[in-house]
Amino acid sequence: MSDSPERSAGRSAPLTKIIMVSSAGSAIEWFDFFIYGTAAALVFNKLFFPQADPLVGTLLAFTTFAIGFLARPLGGVVFGHFGDRVGRKPALVTALLIMGGSTTLIGLLPTYDTIGAAAPVLLVVLRLLQGVAVGGQWGGAVLIATENAPEGRRGLYGSFAQLGVPTGLMLSSLVFLVTTSKLDAQQFASWGWRVPFLCSIVLIVIALFAQFTLEETADSRESRHDEEGSGASRSPVVEVLRKHPKNVLLAAGAVITIGSGFYLFVTYMLSYGTEVLGMPKSTVLNAVLVGAALQVPALMAFGALSDRIGRRKVYLAGAIGMGLWAYPAFVLMNTKQWPLVTLALVGGQLFFAAMYGPQAAFFSELFTARVRYSGASLGYQLGVMLGGALTPIIATWLYARFGSFVPVAAFLVASAAVSSVCVLVLSETNRRVPAVEATSQADRDVQPAAS
């Protein structure tokens, strides 16, 4: 089945506008999400859990970090329903506004010394809102990009939305690098850590820009029109779980190593480098910054490559590479030499890019337009919750328990193995037209891929 000329023409939208909304909005949203992880590794254990010993305080800080992941599937469900029933644009704009507001409020939050136990409670509530928002934003940004893509370029266009991760990571690392280098420890703990959170008000401006300039995608308009005429299910989430359970579960499994690998190489390695190895914060932050900068062209390159040779091949290479890189990365980190530390983190982030670049197109092509926001969001957010939420906690506990990085590396290898198997079972999708109609090929459960 192929698109009609009218639909193909109607799907196109100005490239600059797609990049602005899907990339810039996603970048600031992920900036908001990442600054929390960086702050959890550097100061939250002291500011919000001062009564605990250092190890327990770090674990508690990472627990609040994990709570954001636990809320992401909820965001995927809520905004998936909203995005499939009402439209991609209103769902995306609402998610951006929630993230901008909750992150700004974290920057204004009193610490434990000021309001006692209420401080960590409020921190948890705002982190939950962050999780719900980022759980809803990803699907909107991805579909704005892929549903506007010309035929044969969905991988490249989908990578524009994925650029928000390294860009947000660069911004968060850069802001913390500047504040930690310009302020002494007392100033940073007193007020410097708040600066990145207060910068998040910019996200509200981007949300307003999207609201007034962005048009709904043709696929979304047509799928909602078809649904109104057919009297179809009013719950896209229920429908996608009923019709596509394998797609959702395999997509979640494929994402596990994205979550575990990324947050091990970014969040945990920051704590490992500073707390375990005693390196200056700036050394590790600079290494993270270099890796994030290289991710930007890598994501686009891997997305474009998936348009040529297939999503599965590129994604699978990244998953296997992530597992193989786990042990060497720690060996390089343990040298404490900046070039080798940078190589360790850059390698991990490039293997991540090989998976994350084609992922937007890969997942959107697994579902028809009427349930695409729900299906893609739910699969992605479940996988990231399983792979990312507990990674810093598990890694911290494993090192404390065994006094060695080897079990931590083994944990990443295991997650990479799970994702690799799931990708092998999923069918190739890059030749598939992501149809609006419910009777298309994407509506059928995935079949084991042919060799």
Side-chain angles (χ1 to χ4, degrees):
M1 184 172 63
S2 61
D3 285 347
S4 67
E6 291 79 5
R7 271 193 63 209
S8 297
R11 178 179 287 139
S12 300
L15 177 61
T16 54
K17 188 179 294 185
I18 295 172
I19 295 176
M20 174 63 186
V21 174
S22 65
S23 300
S26 181
I28 303 299
E29 176 119 359
W30 283 106
F31 166 80
D32 291 357
F33 203 71
F34 287 145
I35 57 177
Y36 192 102
T38 306
L42 297 179
V43 295
F44 278 0
N45 57 333
K46 303 177 183 68
L47 296 177
F48 291 92
F49 308 99
Q51 304 304 313
D53 66 56
L55 174 60
V56 173
T58 299
L59 287 171
L60 289 173
F62 280 147
T63 299
T64 63
F65 175 74
I67 285 172
F69 287 89
L70 298 178
R72 283 171 65 168
L74 175 61
V77 169
V78 172
F79 284 92
H81 176 89
F82 190 29
D84 285 327
R85 295 288 297 116
V86 180
R88 317 308 192 207
K89 185 178 82 168
L92 176 61
V93 169
T94 303
L96 295 176
L97 289 172
I98 292 175
M99 176 60 90
S102 60
T103 308
T104 301
L105 289 175
I106 291 177
L108 300 173
L109 190 63
T111 63
Y112 187 94
D113 288 342
T114 304
I115 59 174
V121 171
L122 291 173
L123 185 66
V124 168
V125 171
L126 292 173
R127 181 58 175 173
L128 282 170
L129 289 175
Q130 275 194 323
V132 169
V134 81
Q137 176 272 342
W138 181 83
V142 160
L143 296 188
I144 289 294
T146 58
E147 290 184 348
N148 279 298
E151 188 65 28
R153 301 186 70 187
R154 287 190 295 268
L156 175 61
Y157 271 54
S159 71
F160 296 152
Q162 309 293 65
L163 294 180
V165 170
T167 306
L169 179 59
M170 279 191 292
L171 290 173
S172 65
S173 298
L174 185 60
V175 169
F176 273 101
L177 184 63
V178 171
T179 53
T180 55
S181 62
K182 298 297 183 181
L183 303 175
D184 59 38
Q186 183 176 359
Q187 290 173 321
F188 181 75
S190 175
W191 59 269
W193 67 270
R194 298 181 183 276
V195 174
F197 291 90
L198 296 177
C199 289
S200 300
I201 198 168
V202 174
L203 190 60
I204 297 174
V205 177
I206 293 177
L208 293 175
F209 173 84
Q211 173 64 31
F212 289 110
T213 65
L214 193 66
E215 296 179 2
E216 191 55 80
T217 68
D219 279 0
S220 178
R221 290 195 303 268
E222 292 182 27
S223 67
R224 286 183 284 118
H225 175 75
D226 291 345
E227 184 175 332
E228 290 171 1
S230 65
S233 171
R234 310 298 288 181
S235 177
V237 174
V238 172
E239 182 174 338
V240 79
L241 291 175
R242 180 170 56 86
K243 291 186 176 181
H244 312 286
K246 290 183 181 179
N247 301 55
V248 173
L249 291 177
L250 288 172
V255 176
I256 285 177
T257 195
I258 284 183
S260 60
F262 186 84
Y263 289 101
L264 187 141
F265 279 105
V266 174
T267 302
Y268 175 73
M269 283 300 196
L270 180 57
S271 176
Y272 179 78
T274 56
E275 300 293 331
V276 176
L277 301 180
M279 290 188 287
K281 295 182 179 68
S282 59
T283 298
V284 187
L285 284 172
N286 274 319
V288 170
L289 197 58
V290 172
L294 292 175
Q295 263 194 64
V296 173
L299 283 168
M300 292 187 290
F302 286 125
L305 182 62
S306 76
D307 286 328
R308 296 177 61 86
I309 69 173
R311 319 291 183 215
R312 290 172 66 248
K313 291 179 181 178
V314 180
Y315 200 114
L316 184 61
I320 293 174
M322 183 71 80
L324 294 176
W325 189 245
Y327 184 89
F330 276 99
V331 173
L332 293 170
M333 283 289 296
N334 288 345
T335 66
K336 304 182 187 180
Q337 299 179 28
W338 187 80
L340 297 181
V341 169
T342 302
L343 177 60
L345 300 187
V346 167
Q349 291 190 54
L350 290 181
F351 287 122
F352 164 83
M355 294 179 284
Y356 207 58
Q359 184 201 41
F362 194 11
F363 283 19
S364 67
E365 290 163 351
L366 289 172
F367 306 96
T368 53
R370 56 183 281 164
V371 295
R372 189 173 294 148
Y373 204 128
S374 298
S377 295
L378 193 56
Y380 175 61
Q381 302 305 340
L382 283 174
V384 173
M385 179 189 72
L386 294 173
L390 300 179
T391 292
I393 299 172
I394 292 174
T396 300
W397 179 82
L398 285 173
Y399 190 88
R401 172 68 176 81
F402 296 100
S404 169
F405 68 84
V406 175
V408 182
F411 167 73
L412 182 56
V413 171
S415 70
V418 171
S419 292
S420 297
V421 171
C422 291
V423 174
L424 285 171
V425 176
L426 282 166
S427 297
E428 182 55 71
T429 64
N430 75 319
R431 302 294 183 187
R432 179 184 300 169
V433 176
V436 172
E437 292 82 0
T439 56
S440 74
Q441 179 181 359
D443 250 328
R444 296 194 289 269
D445 285 335
V446 293
Q447 301 297 323
S451 59

